[in-house]
Structures are given as C-alpha cells and as structure tokens.
Amino acid sequence: MTLFRTSIIVASLLTLMACESRSVESQAEPQLASLWAAHAAEYQAVTMQIYAQATRDLPRLIADESWSALPSREGSAEKPLAVILDVDETVLSGVDMELTLLPFTHLRQYEWSISHKAVPIRGVAEFVKAAREQGVDAFFVTNRPCELLEGNSDTCPQEKSTIDDIFEVGIETDADHVMLVGERPEWNREKLSRREFVAESHRVIMLFGDDYGDFVACSRAEPRAPCTNPATRASRAEALDAYENYWGNGWYILPNPMYGSWTSVE
Ligand SMILES: [Mg+2]
C-alpha cells in the first residue's frame, strides 16, 4: 500500500471520528470533503474566484447608496460602509485541524489556534485590503464562543486568539471588529443580532461566509433567539429563491463540504 493511500485511510478514519464528535454540525462525506479542502487546487480556485468577484463588485455597491446587504436595512445612505465576514473557512482554513485534532471541541480549536499559524483562505487578504482602500470597514462575526479558561483571567481569551489568527493571514483587526458568541448576552449562535448590531452604525454592503447562517436568519435545525422554528431543507431552499438577487451580488458564500448547519437539517 502506498504512503498516499495509507494517509488517505488514516485521514478518513480521523475525520470519521470527528464526525461522531460534532452533534449539531457534524461532518458529512468527511473523507473526500476534507481532502478536497486540504489539497484541491479547485477549492482554492473557487475561493479566489469569489473574492475576485467581490473585489470587482465593490465600486458598484459603494456607489449605490440605496444598497444594503441586509434586506431590512435599505436606506442607510448616510452611514459609513462595512462588510461582514465569518472567520473559519471564510478567512482562514481549519482543514488541518479537521484532519488531525479530534474530537472537535471549541477548547481544542482554541488550543490549535494559539499553537498553529493560521492558513489563509485564498483571496481574502487582498479583498479586505481593496475594501479598506475604498473606505469600507471589515467586521468579523464568528461562532467561536467566549469561554472562561482555567488559569486565565481573561473573560474572552478566544477573542485575542481570533484576532491573532486573522493577523496571521495578513489582516490587521481589533476587538471592536471581531464579534464572538457570548460577548454580549444577546449574541448567540444565530448571527442575525450581530449583523443588526453592525448595521446600526454602518451600511453593510457585503456578507461573506461558508454557512447559510452567515446570510440567512433562522437557518439552523436548533433555532436560537429570535428564531423559534427549526429550519428544514425546504425552508432553506425557499430562502434561496427569496434572496435570489443577493447571491453573488453582495452575498458571497464560500464552499465548506466538511461541516456546517446544513448537515443537521432534515
Ligand atoms: Mg465558517
């Protein structure tokens, strides 16, 4: 057996174990999915394509003062401009952790984060640079949680590690622009409240993420406030049509076949 085949089998077993460890966001088709994200030039070409398209769209969406990437927030012409990006599989790749660190827990993700240099998603640093040069601020809304750690007096050490991760892929940012679950009482895993928080002060012209929940509210099988009903495959499919004009036009979704809220809806 070749070393390559051996490594595929080992990686497959490891990712299968990861699958069992994720209750809500379990891996589906873990072997090929993780290997594709880890090794396929096709994957990197897709992410480059997405960020290149978004870069070309910047001047148009900046100039259109009636435009908001948040459907409820048109009429924000007087506000400064912003884009909102998710972090994992949007700004940085977690595939190496998916392949090696098992089972997945947020604590293990934190420990991985502080002990490994973050791997960029191709195209993101160039996009954020272009946006900032045109006066557009960047906010990072992640479902990494604020959690107390034994022996650490910081109430949210994950915020610093996330800022450091983002820096490692070539983007400087700070705590005012990185928004984790639990930083405020109403900031739960439903990202809607954090998008709305940014929209209070900014005209949000673009959203970026690898999960439907980075764009569409109430897309989880386990709803979080203000959502009350579990999402289904059918409800998510309806949102595809309802927001037809946003996909690829202010909404830019990155591929993630490894995990996500899509895996738990029925
Ligand atoms: Mg993500």
Side-chain angles (χ1 to χ4, degrees):
M1 186 178 294
T2 65
L3 183 59
F4 181 64
R5 282 197 65 185
T6 305
S7 59
I8 286 179
I9 290 169
V10 169
S12 300
L13 287 171
L14 291 173
T15 47
L16 192 61
M17 291 163 67
C19 172
E20 291 168 356
S21 70
R22 286 191 182 223
S23 55
V24 175
E25 298 182 352
S26 60
Q27 286 209 355
E29 301 294 337
Q31 305 92 331
L32 276 176
S34 298
L35 292 171
W36 184 75
H39 302 302
E42 286 87 342
Y43 169 54
Q44 298 198 40
V46 170
T47 71
M48 292 169 70
Q49 177 177 290
I50 291 162
Y51 280 114
Q53 179 62 51
T55 302
R56 285 192 293 274
D57 289 347
L58 273 170
R60 177 173 58 85
L61 299 184
I62 290 170
D64 182 356
E65 293 188 342
S66 69
W67 171 256
S68 170
L70 303 191
S72 61
R73 289 283 183 170
E74 288 89 359
S76 300
E78 76 289 355
K79 294 176 180 174
L81 301 168
V83 295
I84 297 176
L85 302 99
D86 169 53
V87 175
D88 292 298
E89 318 318 325
T90 300
V91 170
L92 55 92
S93 169
V95 67
D96 290 341
M97 185 184 69
E98 289 291 324
L99 289 169
T100 55
L101 186 67
L102 302 167
F104 175 89
T105 66
H106 285 296
L107 176 59
R108 288 184 173 184
Q109 182 185 42
Y110 170 77
E111 290 170 342
W112 178 277
S113 161
I114 60 175
S115 58
H116 293 76
K117 186 176 180 188
V119 176
I121 298 295
R122 286 286 298 266
V124 67
E126 295 82 356
F127 167 77
V128 171
K129 181 171 183 287
R132 286 173 168 169
E133 286 172 354
Q134 294 171 68
V136 181
D137 213 351
F139 289 86
F140 301 90
V141 173
T142 173
N143 275 354
R144 292 184 182 189
C146 285
E147 289 176 339
L148 294 172
L149 297 178
E150 200 174 325
N152 191 330
S153 59
D154 190 339
T155 56
C156 186
Q158 297 82 7
E159 182 154 64
K160 181 181 184 308
S161 69
T162 303
I163 292 168
D164 290 347
D165 277 350
I166 296 170
F167 179 77
E168 287 167 5
V169 305
I171 302 167
E172 283 192 60
T173 189
D174 57 32
D176 289 339
H177 293 81
V178 176
M179 305 160 75
L180 285 78
V181 171
E183 268 194 86
R184 292 171 177 244
E186 69 276 23
W187 289 2
N188 56 24
R189 292 179 63 77
E190 168 58 56
K191 290 185 171 181
L192 176 63
S193 59
R194 284 174 282 168
R195 288 197 290 271
E196 292 293 329
F197 181 87
V198 177
E200 287 295 319
S201 55
H202 290 75
R203 177 161 72 92
V204 179
I205 61 169
M206 293 177 171
L207 304 177
F208 295 85
D210 64 290
D211 193 284
Y212 217 53
D214 294 318
F215 309 87
V216 177
C218 309
S219 57
R220 303 179 150 276
E222 296 182 8
R224 300 288 193 274
C227 306
T228 52
N229 296 321
T232 63
R233 288 174 182 161
S235 70
R236 295 166 123 247
E238 285 170 18
L240 280 177
D241 294 330
Y243 299 115
E244 180 179 31
N245 295 331
Y246 290 86
W247 303 110
N249 177 44
W251 288 8
Y252 305 90
I253 191 159
L254 286 296
N256 180 2
M258 299 182 291
Y259 64 87
S261 56
W262 67 275
T263 61
S264 53
V265 295
E266 295 178 346

